[in-house]
């Protein structure tokens, strides 16, 4: 069977000269993920300042985000300089530690808006489900590092890693946090396809998913989650209830037209028509104020960021680093894809933040940590 270039055999011996040919020509690419992170973070802070211009006087959201950026910068420095191989040695410990935090959420977690997702200590709130995305990627990169997937993985090969992915997913769904659980599943699926699945196994999994979907819909989802799917197909079935967020978001995106209404001149957010405009719907605020041109530029930055992450994965000369870089990049890709699709009415509303744009300390720290690891891998020859 013929495979595409994306399905390059990771189990074959890596050629140490493969990246040296590109060393000088693409040397500047080693810092591109960090440079683009700073650019998008700057855009995000400007946009968040506008989105929270009313609430910020009492809640200090903009200042809180600055504190998170400061803490994330410290974590970035910590993760950038030791050789990334230390993550391979700590992979299982990181996974177990994060599992402990997810269990702690069930016992002592803080509830907000009907969800129990946070652990509070010393005036700081931590959302372990956000950290689990990165923990899962590190765990999977370590697990498959020495596995032979040359002929394609069978169901037997997938049994153990699937169990280790499904356990934290179940704990996250219980919170409930369907959006994060979905992102973890998408990232897992992306990494499996990258590694290579036997065609028969892929067909069986597809059939199983087709059978499981109606069961999960009827018995696994809460009523409000099922309602979100119904209103995604037709928001006007409940315009003042479950469809309200989607309708207001699409109004905000569409009203920006070509060049937008201008900075701090958007009405949907400032007049409180758009709920959660500083978190899940931050892109709606940006769209209304900067229009199609501004959105196109922001999307270009995200596209360059994703491409730079894939470049890091391609140029890595060991399997763990390749899988780690690819998994981290897939986290960012699915976040951008789901969030933008959600706010434009193309996907159901599942509560997925937009990287570097949405307000939220745990999500931002996880994203900045991911970028630090990408830069670490890209600069591996200069690390100690």
């Amino acid at each position: 069977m013929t495979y595409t270039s994306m399905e390059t055999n990771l189990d074959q011996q890596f050629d140490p000269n493969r990246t040296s040919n590109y060393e000088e020509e693409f040397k500047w690419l080693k810092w591109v993920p960090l440079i683009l992170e700073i650019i998008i973070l700057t855009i995000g802070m400007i946009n968040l300042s506008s989105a929270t211009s009313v609430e910020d006087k009492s809640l200090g959201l903009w200042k809180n985000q600055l504190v998170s950026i400061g803490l994330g910068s410290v974590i970035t420095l910590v993760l950038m300089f030791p050789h990334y191989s230390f993550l391979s040695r700590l992979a299982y410990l990181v996974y177990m530690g994060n599992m402990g935090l997810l269990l702690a959420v069930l016992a002592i977690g803080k509830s907000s808006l009907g969800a129990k997702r946070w652990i509070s200590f010393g005036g700081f709130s931590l959302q372990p489900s956000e950290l689990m995305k990165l923990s899962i990627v590190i765990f999977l990169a370590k697990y498959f590092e020495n596995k032979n997937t040359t002929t394609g993985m069978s169901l037997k090969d997938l049994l153990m890693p699937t169990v280790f992915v499904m356990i934290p997913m179940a704990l996250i769904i219980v919170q409930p946090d369907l959006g994060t659980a979905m992102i973890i599943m998408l990232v897992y699926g992306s990494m499996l396809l990258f590694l290579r699945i036997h065609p028969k196994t892929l067909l069986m999994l597809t059939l199983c998913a087709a059978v499981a979907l109606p069961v999960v819909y009827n018995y696994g989802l809460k009523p409000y989650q099922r309602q979100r799917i119904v209103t995604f197909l037709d928001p006007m079935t409940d315009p003042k209830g479950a469809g309200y967020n989607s309708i207001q978001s699409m109004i905000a995106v569409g009203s920006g037209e070509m060049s937008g209404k201008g900075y701090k001149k958007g009405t949907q957010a400032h007049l409180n028509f758009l709920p959660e405009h500083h978190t899940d719907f931050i892109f709606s605020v940006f769209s209304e104020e900067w229009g199609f041109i501004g959105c196109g530029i922001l999307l270009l930055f995200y596209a360059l960021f994703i491409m730079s992450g894939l470049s890091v994965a391609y140029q890595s000369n060991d399997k763990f680093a390749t899988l780690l870089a690819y998994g981290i990049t897939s986290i960012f890709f699915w976040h951008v894809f789901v969030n933008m699709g959600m706010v434009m009415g193309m996907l159901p509303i599942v509560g997925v933040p937009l990287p570097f744009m949405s307000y939220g300390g745990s999500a931002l720290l996880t994203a900045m940590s991911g970028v630090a690891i990408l830069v670490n891998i890209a600069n591996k020859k200069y690390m100690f």
Side-chain angles (χ1 to χ4, degrees):
M1 180 176 180
T2 302
Y3 293 92
T4 64
S5 58
M6 181 59 76
E7 297 170 310
T8 302
N9 183 7
L10 298 177
D11 300 298
Q12 294 180 349
Q13 180 67 35
F14 280 85
D15 181 2
N17 297 319
R18 181 164 65 91
T19 57
S20 63
N21 297 329
Y22 303 93
E23 190 68 32
E24 292 302 321
E25 185 177 356
F26 296 107
K27 189 174 182 179
W28 63 276
L29 285 175
K30 296 177 182 298
W31 300 99
V32 168
L34 185 60
I35 294 171
L36 288 170
E37 174 196 44
I38 294 171
I39 293 173
I40 300 174
L41 264 177
T42 302
I43 295 173
M45 288 304 299
I46 294 172
N47 191 51
L48 184 65
S49 175
S50 173
T52 61
S53 58
V54 178
E55 297 94 330
D56 197 49
K57 295 179 180 178
S58 58
L59 301 179
L61 300 179
W62 195 80
K63 296 178 181 178
N64 290 345
Q65 193 78 339
L66 274 180
V67 172
S68 296
I69 291 175
L71 181 57
S73 300
V74 173
I75 295 174
T76 296
L77 292 175
V78 171
L79 289 176
M80 272 177 54
F81 289 98
H83 195 276
Y84 62 80
S85 59
F86 83 96
L87 291 171
S88 177
R89 297 189 293 271
L90 297 176
Y92 296 146
L93 183 62
V94 169
Y95 174 86
M96 294 305 298
N98 214 147
M99 281 293 298
L101 290 175
L102 288 177
L103 291 171
V105 169
L106 299 179
I108 59 173
K110 173 187 174 183
S111 297
S112 177
L113 300 176
K116 195 174 185 181
R117 305 173 185 172
W118 299 268
I119 300 176
S120 297
F121 52 89
F124 180 78
S125 293
L126 179 69
Q127 188 176 348
S129 60
E130 286 290 338
L131 305 180
M132 198 68 206
K133 300 169 188 173
L134 193 55
S135 299
I136 283 288
V137 168
I138 297 172
F139 171 85
L140 291 173
K142 174 63 176 178
Y143 182 87
F144 288 112
E145 181 180 11
N146 297 315
K147 300 291 183 181
N148 190 331
T149 59
T150 307
T151 58
M153 290 180 288
S154 65
L155 286 176
K156 182 180 179 181
D157 298 324
L158 296 177
L159 179 60
M160 287 304 297
T162 300
V163 169
F164 282 110
V165 171
M166 292 302 294
I167 293 174
M169 276 187 59
L171 294 175
I172 292 171
I173 290 173
V174 168
Q175 294 180 358
D177 189 354
L178 185 61
T180 300
M182 183 183 68
I183 292 293
I184 289 176
M185 179 55 71
L186 289 171
V187 170
Y188 178 46
S190 299
M191 293 184 72
L192 290 183
L193 291 174
F194 182 75
L195 281 162
R196 189 177 300 164
I197 301 177
H198 194 279
K200 291 183 179 179
T201 303
L202 185 59
L203 178 60
M204 292 178 64
L205 291 175
T206 303
L207 293 175
C208 289
V211 173
L213 279 176
V215 177
V216 172
Y217 177 82
N218 288 300
Y219 303 104
L221 299 181
K222 295 181 179 295
Y224 79 89
Q225 292 171 330
R226 291 196 295 269
Q227 185 62 31
R228 283 182 177 179
I229 296 176
V230 173
T231 52
F232 153 66
L233 298 173
D234 185 6
M236 295 308 296
T237 57
D238 190 9
K240 295 184 179 180
Y244 180 81
N245 290 6
S246 181
I247 292 172
Q248 296 303 320
S249 177
M250 287 188 286
I251 291 173
V253 172
S255 62
E257 297 183 347
M258 184 58 68
S259 58
K261 296 179 178 178
Y263 182 58
K264 291 189 177 182
K265 295 182 180 180
T267 56
Q268 290 299 106
H270 294 158
L271 298 179
N272 289 321
F273 288 109
L274 183 65
E276 303 300 327
H277 48 262
H278 60 296
T279 53
D280 297 341
F281 293 97
I282 194 71
F283 183 66
S284 303
V285 178
F286 185 85
S287 299
E288 185 178 20
E289 296 187 355
W290 300 97
F292 179 80
I293 295 175
C295 291
I297 294 172
L298 179 62
L299 190 58
L300 176 62
F301 284 136
Y302 274 121
L304 291 173
F305 180 84
I306 299 300
M307 291 171 64
S308 69
L310 292 176
S311 176
V312 171
Y314 174 75
Q315 295 182 53
S316 301
N317 58 4
D318 74 76
K319 189 175 180 179
F320 174 77
T322 298
L323 292 175
L324 184 58
Y326 181 80
I328 291 172
T329 303
S330 67
I331 293 176
F332 287 109
F333 170 80
W334 286 116
H335 264 274
V336 174
F337 181 85
V338 173
N339 180 274
M340 290 190 176
M342 177 183 74
V343 302
M344 290 188 289
M346 300 171 65
L347 293 172
I349 296 173
V350 289
V352 172
L354 186 62
F356 311 122
M357 296 283 289
S358 295
Y359 173 81
S362 298
L364 182 58
L365 294 180
T366 302
M368 294 183 73
S369 298
V371 173
I373 295 171
L374 286 176
V375 174
N376 187 319
I377 295 171
N379 289 274
K380 58 188 174 297
K381 293 186 178 180
Y382 307 101
M383 298 300 166
F384 50 84

